[in-house]
Amino acid sequence: QALEPKLFPIPSQIFAVCVSLQITMGSGNSSTVDYNMTYGSNYSLGGAPGYTMAGHNGVALEPSHTSSMIDFVESGTVKPFIIPILGLLIGAAMMQAPKVATVGKLVLYFGAQSFMNIFMGWIFRTHVTLPAGTMMNGVVVIDKDLHGCPVGFALTAMQQFISFFCFIILYLALYATPHKIVPKKISSLKEVISIIIFGCVFAMNIALNNFSLGYVSIAVNLIIRSCLPLTTFLSQQGLAFFKLYPFKPCKFLEIMLMVAGVFCACAFTVAKIMGSGGKNHEGSNQVLGCIMCIASLLCGSVNLALAGVLGEMKLTVYDTVAYMSVPAFIFLLPFCLMPKPVPGLWPQVLNTTTASDFTILMWTAKNAPSTFELFVLSGIFSFIYNIIQFTIVHTLSPSATAFGGNFNKAALVFLTLLLPFLQVHALPPFPYNLVIWLAVLGNVAAFSFYSYLQILAKQALKEKEQKEAMLDKREMVPVQYQGSDDDEDDDDDDEEEGGCC
């Protein structure tokens, strides 16, 4: 005897949100997937056949539809975002309590940074740009899902362009209010040159990082970028060799910690590549992604070192967008036209093994418009994230910010390993999984302890400067009041009167 399908009542608003999320972030492309096949031919939010009213302002849902939403929550799309979203919620809640507000800011910073990193990694490598079986001109293009979209330089240029227009809109919206944005005036040639150099190096840092995300996993990318302290130290010493930067003292323990962290990052990367079991061309693409990620890391280090050489501009996030977006956009345009090897199934789709970012971007806009819409959304996210990051960073000490930014990368990878149900891809088999675990633990321990030593050193330096300032003040007091006995008597009388109060 066939059983009647059991109906599960849920609020219609929640169902509508779930449907919207699945359409927006699901594995299919809105222009090529028939969503009626997913939700049934009777799908309607207006009470069409197939749905019955639950009697308490809700909509009754069939098991197949409930199952599709559960699959969505358990899918690889949602899993990576669970940790960042929890970080955002927990951090925002902690900031409401004064006793843990500082820790809450670090947690919020972790959530925001992790969300942006994972979102970009999802766009470049995980998101299904074209589903399997898609037909073009009556021919099936691919028999497997086409994942990601390798347009690192083009998307970075788009983000700079979109961020600039977001700034213009916000500037006009706040112009007649007390919160009017007033960009810093640029009054010297040195400031103009500094802005151009900072903008170009900063844009190349982001572009190379985005480029690498199309070829390596987000875990490999984050582990490599956690090696920023060592590359920054080396770039500072290199500039010091040319007398452009003061030599930084070489402390054996700190250097050994940085080297140990980098060694662990290398071990993690090699284990991930060798354990992936991919083909030779996939392995070479991953090596290319690692090289680009290291180049991005070097650009980030040079950017920090140049800040000390050219002087701090003390620009706000709005100044940065207003002055650096356009030079960065123009600087990246030639790189968007350079052909490069394309990963995954893209050679099959494009009928070529090499293509420029501009070619891939135009193809995506034509054949996968929903993916192109995600690119536009990433530009808006980038602008919002920069504002949040700037606000949080400037309410924390530089040491705490440096520690948080460096710790966040390895901590996200560690938490994903610690919670297997959040993993989109299973770990490689033994012995690679053991190497990955040990490498992540070693990387987190080494760079966290290094950051802790940096915080202690800066605290000690601050205390020393305060003591020296107090000694200087005490030495100046007798000189100011010498030869004035009457003043000393008056001071004594004042002190005695003050003691009575």
Side-chain angles (χ1 to χ4, degrees):
Q1 182 180 357
L3 295 176
E4 292 281 354
K6 187 176 180 181
L7 302 180
F8 299 91
I10 64 169
S12 57
Q13 295 86 348
I14 295 178
F15 175 70
V17 170
C18 291
V19 170
S20 300
L21 282 173
Q22 186 157 9
I23 292 174
T24 303
M25 302 179 68
S27 60
N29 187 286
S30 60
S31 64
T32 56
V33 175
D34 184 3
Y35 285 100
N36 287 333
M37 297 190 63
T38 303
Y39 297 103
S41 58
N42 297 334
Y43 171 70
S44 172
L45 289 179
Y51 294 93
T52 59
M53 300 306 294
H56 49 277
N57 299 325
V59 178
L61 190 63
E62 293 183 6
S64 60
H65 305 134
T66 305
S67 176
S68 68
M69 287 186 290
I70 294 174
D71 291 340
F72 172 65
V73 174
E74 294 178 349
S75 67
T77 301
V78 174
K79 283 182 180 179
F81 293 95
I82 292 177
I83 293 176
I85 291 174
L86 287 177
L88 289 170
L89 296 176
I90 295 173
M94 292 177 67
M95 286 176 62
Q96 307 306 314
K99 292 184 178 180
V100 292
T102 301
V103 178
K105 291 175 184 177
L106 287 172
V107 175
L108 186 68
Y109 183 35
F110 166 77
Q113 190 178 53
S114 300
F115 180 88
M116 198 63 193
N117 285 331
I118 291 175
F119 181 76
M120 297 307 300
W122 177 68
I123 287 179
F124 285 116
R125 189 172 172 84
T126 308
H127 168 67
V128 176
T129 303
L130 210 63
T134 299
M135 299 185 65
M136 293 183 181
N137 300 323
V139 179
V140 176
V141 181
I142 48 174
D143 55 358
K144 296 180 180 179
D145 290 339
L146 177 66
H147 290 274
C149 193
V151 287
F153 289 102
L155 182 54
T156 305
M158 274 186 65
Q159 288 176 340
Q160 298 297 319
F161 188 77
I162 293 170
S163 294
F164 181 76
F165 275 93
C166 288
F167 166 77
I168 295 296
I169 293 172
L170 185 62
Y171 177 82
L172 294 176
L174 298 177
Y175 186 81
T177 69
H179 305 288
K180 176 183 176 181
I181 299 174
V182 182
K184 179 182 177 180
K185 293 184 178 179
I186 306 302
S187 56
S188 67
L189 180 61
K190 179 182 178 181
E191 290 180 334
V192 174
I193 295 175
S194 298
I195 286 175
I196 294 175
I197 293 176
F198 285 155
C200 293
V201 176
F202 176 73
M204 185 57 70
N205 174 24
I206 299 176
L208 289 172
N209 182 60
N210 287 340
F211 182 97
S212 73
L213 287 171
Y215 296 80
V216 298
S217 67
I218 184 66
V220 173
N221 176 274
L222 292 176
I223 283 291
I224 294 176
R225 292 187 66 82
S226 69
C227 301
L228 181 65
L230 180 61
T231 54
T232 302
F233 176 80
L234 294 176
S235 63
Q236 289 173 344
Q237 299 301 85
L239 291 173
F241 180 78
F242 295 100
K243 298 181 180 179
L244 297 174
Y245 198 88
F247 271 106
K248 190 174 180 180
C250 299
K251 297 180 180 179
F252 179 78
L253 179 58
E254 292 183 358
I255 293 177
M256 291 305 298
L257 286 172
M258 288 189 289
V259 171
V262 171
F263 176 80
C264 291
C266 293
F268 178 93
T269 303
V270 171
K272 285 284 288 185
I273 293 176
M274 295 183 65
S276 62
K279 300 178 182 179
N280 290 334
H281 76 276
E282 292 178 354
S284 61
N285 283 338
Q286 291 188 60
V287 172
L288 174 63
C290 291
I291 293 173
M292 293 298 103
C293 189
I294 294 172
S296 167
L297 195 62
L298 293 174
C299 285
S301 302
V302 171
N303 204 25
L304 291 175
L306 285 175
V309 175
L310 300 177
E312 278 291 347
M313 295 290 296
K314 295 182 179 179
L315 300 177
T316 67
V317 65
Y318 302 114
D319 297 333
T320 302
V321 173
Y323 294 129
M324 294 186 184
S325 294
V326 175
F329 173 76
I330 297 173
F331 174 75
L332 290 173
L333 285 180
F335 296 95
C336 299
L337 303 175
M338 294 181 181
K340 62 178 183 182
V342 288
L345 297 176
W346 280 96
Q348 182 178 340
V349 173
L350 299 174
N351 295 319
T352 179
T353 56
T354 60
S356 67
D357 279 14
F358 182 76
T359 301
I360 299 174
L361 188 67
M362 293 297 98
W363 185 94
T364 304
K366 179 181 178 181
N367 299 288
S370 66
T371 299
F372 189 83
E373 291 167 4
L374 286 175
F375 294 165
V376 177
L377 184 64
S378 74
I380 300 173
F381 278 177
S382 177
F383 179 71
I384 296 173
Y385 167 71
N386 286 331
I387 294 176
I388 294 174
Q389 184 185 41
F390 180 86
T391 304
I392 294 174
V393 165
H394 282 71
T395 57
L396 297 172
S397 67
S399 300
T401 301
F403 171 77
N406 187 52
F407 178 79
N408 289 347
K409 300 178 181 70
L412 178 61
V413 178
F414 175 72
L415 286 174
T416 305
L417 291 177
L418 192 63
L419 305 171
F421 63 90
L422 295 180
Q423 295 174 7
V424 178
H425 304 289
L427 287 177
F430 183 85
Y432 302 113
N433 55 356
L434 179 61
V435 173
I436 287 173
W437 262 106
L438 294 176
V440 170
L441 291 173
N443 183 275
V444 172
F447 283 116
S448 296
F449 190 51
Y450 168 80
S451 299
Y452 174 70
L453 292 178
Q454 292 289 301
I455 292 174
L456 291 181
K458 290 182 179 181
Q459 288 178 346
L461 180 62
K462 185 177 180 180
E463 291 176 358
K464 182 180 178 181
E465 291 176 350
Q466 290 177 346
K467 289 181 180 178
E468 290 178 353
M470 292 179 64
L471 290 174
D472 292 340
K473 187 176 181 180
R474 289 179 180 176
E475 290 176 358
M476 293 177 63
V477 170
V479 177
Q480 293 176 357
Y481 292 96
Q482 257 183 351
S484 181
D485 295 334
D486 294 338
D487 290 344
E488 291 179 0
D489 293 336
D490 292 341
D491 289 342
D492 292 339
D493 294 337
D494 291 339
E495 289 176 6
E496 291 174 2
E497 291 174 2
C500 299
C501 296

